[in-house]
Amino acid sequence: MNFIAEAAAKAIKELYNTDVAAADINLQETRKEFQGQITIVTFPFTRVSRKSPEQTGADIGEYLKANVSQVEAFNVIKGFLNISIADSHWLERLYTDIVPDTFAAPQYNGQKVMVEYSSPNTNKPLHLGHIRNNLLGYSVAQILEAAGYEVVKANLVNDRGIHICKSMLAWQHWGNGETPESSGLKGDHLVGKYYVIFDKEYKKQIDALKAEGQTEEEAKKNAPLIKDAQLMLLQWEQGDEEVLSLWRTMNSWVYAGFEQTYKQLGVDFDKYYYESNTYLLGKDIIEEGLAKGVFFRKEDGSIWIDLTEDGLDQKLVLRADGTSVYITQDLGTAQLKYNDFGMDKSIYVVGNEQDYHFKVLFLILQKLGKAGADGLFHLSYGMVDLPSGKMKSREGTVVDADDLMAEMETTAKEHTEALGKVESFGEEEKSSLYHTIGMGALKYFLLKVDPKKRLLFDPNESVDFQGHTGPFIQYTHARIKSVLSRARGYTEDKIPVTTLASEERDLIVLLNRFPDTIQEAAVGYSPAIIANYVYELAKLYNKFYHEHSILQAEDEQLKHFRLQLSAASAKVIKKGMALLGIEVPERM
RNA sequence: GGUUCCGUAGCUCAGCUGGAUAGAGCAACUGCCUUCUAAGCAGUAGGUCUUUGGUUCGAAUCCAAACGGAAUCACCA
């Protein structure tokens, strides 16, 4: 709608002899209770017009009508100038922009971006919080790609550390050689089971020591199990073959399990990083920082950075014994990623509980003057809470990812069967439909909310299938496809329609906004913007569908026009949902 | 205690680069399937936008303070 802003700027120049940049003219959509599609707020210009808001609006309106061919009419209500754009302009948009296959196709912007997401620990299965992370990361990657970036999806697997040793140790003690095959358990669940066992036994030992008179703190340190776990970690770091071999075995179980879950979720990665390979990185960066005077060494030999001038604290970056801490690794990994891909931007999809960590990490990289440091971004999302509060894996109050997905499919099946529309479907088509709908409901539920906000999930209240939901949008798509298939073909030619019904015009106006919406979502790293847009589109299409007959339109030409409009709507719904990682069925 | 984030209808959320009478969905109530898929459409009801100040022609939106909630401030990751 740039031409309106430019014309309005010209109008102000000629009418009031004042220069206003077109970009400074605030255009908004006309509210639906008024005539027109575009509204200019005239209050800001009363200063230069020295007239009332009404008169100013009328002046500019007259000018636009006289000088801009697309402007057909206008009305002024208080300080609002509502402009009606001629239907010919909207039809032009439809046929030259929206209908062609190239609509909203990515235009490479010359930039490369890495999106790191998922980044699981290998000692327990994925839960609902990980699902939000995975869906966000995958969707943001799709959105950035659609916005013109070259995208690398990365997964940094936390496959080492004390937590994995805990699972390994418990398995050695109480596993009796159990394997995924022998137990029938998915590998990640099997390993998770031993993590829980470790914790239970560890607590028993703590209680026993406390009964002997030790304090809680002492007991936690002195329990034999935790000492064994620490010893095992040391052995792992020294390359003890027995420990390494068990570690490899158990990790391979977990990976097989994760792969299955990722497949169900429909997410994937271009590059895997493993902490077992990266945990020693970063030490050369510490040296570099010392040399540059960014870091300093304390008397005990530990190395720190002072961030008090930036409103933060002093932060340890290397222990006195020369071993890494979390941030040491992350410094090294950031460098490794940049060396591998040389990306312009690097997005970390990590929960907001790590806000402080990333603030520090990015600040350090900037102070070191690292290439790419300005392109770092922490996509910080809110935790998923249950009505009872936070999910805690040790207390068993987590919503397991695999269980939840299975439940969603079952619920989708029940809903669908109750509606009795799938009698003609084959078994394979049915089960694939249930998966599509169940995952659609879950994904949409999680993605429609602003990533920054915390999310409340009530396991007792099933995810809806009606209203502002994934299945509603999927249904709208299937509904359009059904009409299109009944039409047995339609012309691709431009139909010489002259006037549009209001629902038709509204649809074109909304479809026309899709490319801008993608950009907006990319800038804000927000799938929620896409989710809300697609919902609005589906809602509007259903209104159109209800108000106007397509196949029984007044004449052949109108019928073809409405079929084209319907096909365009289906296309945008499908593309929009794909940006969320949600599939859309041909029929349901 | 310091820092950061959040507070919109009974519930879940949009709206936040300041603009018209604050919008959806769920739940409740009312209509609409002999007509292209009723997982739909239309309607009724539901609001001190946490509170108080400030800036402004104009504030849910910006600023400040208070209240309420969350996270974080580890030689854990």
Side-chain angles (χ1 to χ4, degrees):
Chain A
M1 292 300 104
N2 278 337
F3 67 97
I4 293 290
E6 275 159 29
K10 222 183 211 175
I12 290 160
K13 172 75 177 161
E14 291 194 14
L15 291 167
Y16 312 126
N17 196 30
T18 305
D19 287 303
V20 178
D24 290 337
I25 294 179
N26 185 9
L27 298 183
Q28 46 191 273
E29 279 176 65
T30 304
R31 299 183 64 136
K32 54 176 180 273
E33 58 265 42
F34 303 106
Q35 282 283 325
Q37 295 88 46
I38 297 169
T39 295
I40 297 177
V41 183
T42 60
F43 288 107
F45 310 123
T46 53
R47 232 177 241 125
V48 297
S49 70
R50 311 185 134 269
K51 290 176 181 172
S52 68
E54 288 85 349
Q55 191 55 51
T56 308
D59 289 351
I60 300 173
E62 283 298 345
Y63 179 95
L64 292 177
K65 195 178 167 187
N67 292 285
V68 182
S69 60
Q70 295 96 326
V71 174
E72 194 174 57
F74 70 91
N75 62 84
V76 179
I77 295 163
K78 294 192 267 183
F80 300 90
L81 169 61
N82 302 317
I83 299 161
S84 295
I85 305 288
D87 285 344
S88 58
H89 174 260
W90 296 118
L91 286 161
E92 173 81 16
R93 294 277 70 73
L94 179 68
Y95 285 112
T96 60
D97 301 339
I98 300 167
V99 164
D101 290 338
T102 51
F103 182 56
Q107 288 179 309
Y108 182 47
N109 65 11
Q111 297 224 334
K112 192 189 279 187
V113 58
M114 173 179 283
V115 181
E116 182 205 300
Y117 67 100
S118 199
S119 305
N121 289 343
T122 54
N123 63 325
K124 49 181 183 265
L126 305 177
H127 60 66
L128 180 53
H130 297 113
I131 295 187
R132 187 179 201 192
N133 179 301
N134 279 279
L135 297 180
L136 269 176
Y138 181 81
S139 177
V140 165
Q142 299 308 303
I143 290 167
L144 290 171
E145 201 164 281
Y149 288 90
E150 181 186 345
V151 178
V152 180
K153 287 171 283 185
N155 191 356
L156 173 59
V157 183
N158 185 355
D159 61 345
R160 68 164 282 280
I162 191 81
H163 46 276
I164 288 124
C165 292
K166 290 178 181 176
S167 298
M168 287 158 63
L169 202 59
W171 185 86
Q172 280 183 332
H173 279 286
W174 298 286
N176 294 319
E178 192 175 38
T179 67
E181 290 74 31
S182 74
S183 64
L185 274 175
K186 202 159 153 281
D188 49 334
H189 288 264
L190 180 68
V191 172
K193 177 178 141 185
Y194 286 98
Y195 187 69
V196 172
I197 290 176
F198 176 93
D199 206 60
K200 228 166 64 189
E201 297 296 330
Y202 177 39
K203 276 197 178 123
K204 274 191 209 165
Q205 292 187 349
I206 292 171
D207 289 342
L209 290 174
K210 272 159 73 180
E212 289 170 18
Q214 296 197 14
T215 65
E216 171 99 23
E217 216 165 291
E218 287 168 343
K220 277 186 174 169
K221 260 188 228 160
N222 295 332
L225 267 175
I226 197 70
K227 290 199 154 176
D228 288 350
Q230 280 157 354
L231 178 65
M232 190 180 251
L233 181 60
L234 204 64
Q235 290 170 328
W236 182 92
E237 290 190 3
Q238 288 164 350
D240 182 289
E241 197 38 54
E242 198 184 328
V243 170
L244 278 178
S245 156
L246 177 61
W247 173 76
R248 280 190 213 103
T249 304
M250 289 181 72
N251 267 345
S252 74
W253 296 344
V254 172
Y255 295 146
F258 281 175
E259 274 316 304
Q260 208 177 319
T261 305
Y262 287 148
K263 201 176 168 206
Q264 281 282 312
L265 268 176
V267 304
D268 54 42
F269 304 92
D270 304 308
K271 174 76 181 176
Y272 282 84
Y273 288 101
Y274 297 93
E275 284 199 9
S276 53
N277 293 329
T278 63
Y279 81 105
L280 293 173
L281 294 177
K283 293 187 188 180
D284 47 344
I285 296 181
I286 302 299
E287 288 304 319
E288 185 185 332
L290 273 175
K292 284 185 179 169
V294 175
F295 302 142
F296 67 93
R297 197 187 294 269
K298 284 199 176 174
E299 282 175 14
D300 67 354
S302 59
I303 298 173
W304 296 70
I305 183 165
D306 187 353
L307 296 169
T308 46
E309 275 180 24
D310 299 280
L312 305 175
D313 305 308
Q314 292 197 346
K315 182 90 184 167
L316 177 95
V317 293
L318 197 71
R319 292 190 185 104
D321 64 5
T323 57
S324 298
V325 289
Y326 181 39
I327 202 146
T328 324
Q329 286 182 47
D330 269 5
L331 287 167
T333 309
Q335 181 73 62
L336 177 65
K337 284 170 162 184
Y338 189 81
N339 291 348
D340 285 349
F341 294 98
M343 59 281 190
D344 303 278
K345 293 187 182 185
S346 187
I347 316 297
Y348 294 77
V349 183
V350 179
N352 63 11
E353 56 195 354
Q354 295 196 39
D355 283 356
Y356 185 76
H357 171 75
F358 281 100
K359 222 180 250 179
V360 171
L361 177 68
F362 296 169
L363 203 51
I364 293 176
L365 288 163
Q366 274 159 15
K367 284 183 185 290
L368 290 171
K370 287 289 174 187
D374 293 331
L376 299 167
F377 182 77
H378 174 205
L379 177 48
S380 161
Y381 63 91
M383 299 286 105
V384 181
D385 288 329
L386 304 177
S388 55
K390 228 182 140 174
M391 286 191 281
K392 292 186 183 121
S393 45
R394 287 177 191 169
E395 294 172 22
T397 55
V398 291
V399 175
D400 180 77
D402 297 313
D403 291 350
L404 180 59
M405 289 192 284
E407 277 168 37
M408 289 307 302
E409 280 193 34
T410 308
T411 313
K413 182 178 181 206
E414 285 163 8
H415 268 269
T416 308
E417 283 172 349
L419 290 169
K421 293 190 205 172
V422 289
E423 274 86 17
S424 65
F425 284 45
E427 282 310 312
E428 210 166 292
E429 190 179 5
K430 271 192 212 171
S431 66
S432 125
L433 180 67
Y434 301 150
H435 178 256
T436 301
I437 296 175
M439 291 308 293
L442 179 62
K443 290 182 178 184
Y444 194 87
F445 178 81
L446 294 172
L447 287 174
K448 76 172 176 183
V449 183
D450 185 327
K452 288 199 292 288
K453 296 201 173 179
R454 60 184 270 275
L455 195 64
L456 187 75
F457 182 85
D458 189 345
N460 300 318
E461 242 173 80
S462 58
V463 175
D464 277 323
F465 284 66
Q466 267 146 20
H468 191 179
T469 66
F472 165 77
I473 298 164
Q474 292 173 318
Y475 167 77
T476 306
H477 180 265
R479 193 182 219 189
I480 297 172
K481 286 294 173 164
S482 168
V483 176
L484 294 178
S485 71
R486 275 175 197 275
R488 293 172 201 287
Y490 57 92
T491 175
E492 304 263 323
D493 298 344
K494 193 169 167 175
I495 306 288
V497 191
T498 49
T499 52
L500 294 167
S502 66
E503 290 82 5
E504 294 166 343
R505 183 165 44 240
D506 291 348
L507 258 182
I508 298 173
V509 172
L510 189 54
L511 289 168
N512 189 51
R513 238 176 61 199
F514 186 48
D516 285 346
T517 304
I518 293 174
Q519 291 301 328
E520 199 191 328
V523 169
Y525 304 112
S526 175
I529 290 171
I530 300 290
N532 285 305
Y533 171 83
V534 180
Y535 171 65
E536 208 183 321
L537 177 58
K539 222 162 106 73
L540 187 58
Y541 183 85
N542 279 314
K543 188 184 171 72
F544 158 77
Y545 177 94
H546 188 259
E547 296 291 324
H548 303 283
S549 182
I550 297 162
L551 297 175
Q552 309 301 320
E554 290 89 286
D555 59 64
E556 259 321 273
Q557 295 236 309
L558 192 57
K559 175 175 131 185
H560 284 274
F561 169 72
R562 286 184 178 155
L563 285 165
Q564 290 168 346
L565 189 54
S566 296
S569 302
K571 177 176 79 176
V572 172
I573 288 173
K574 185 172 184 166
K575 276 196 176 193
M577 290 292 263
L579 296 179
L580 303 175
I582 301 176
E583 288 181 4
V584 117
E586 294 296 303
R587 47 185 203 144
M588 71 185 267

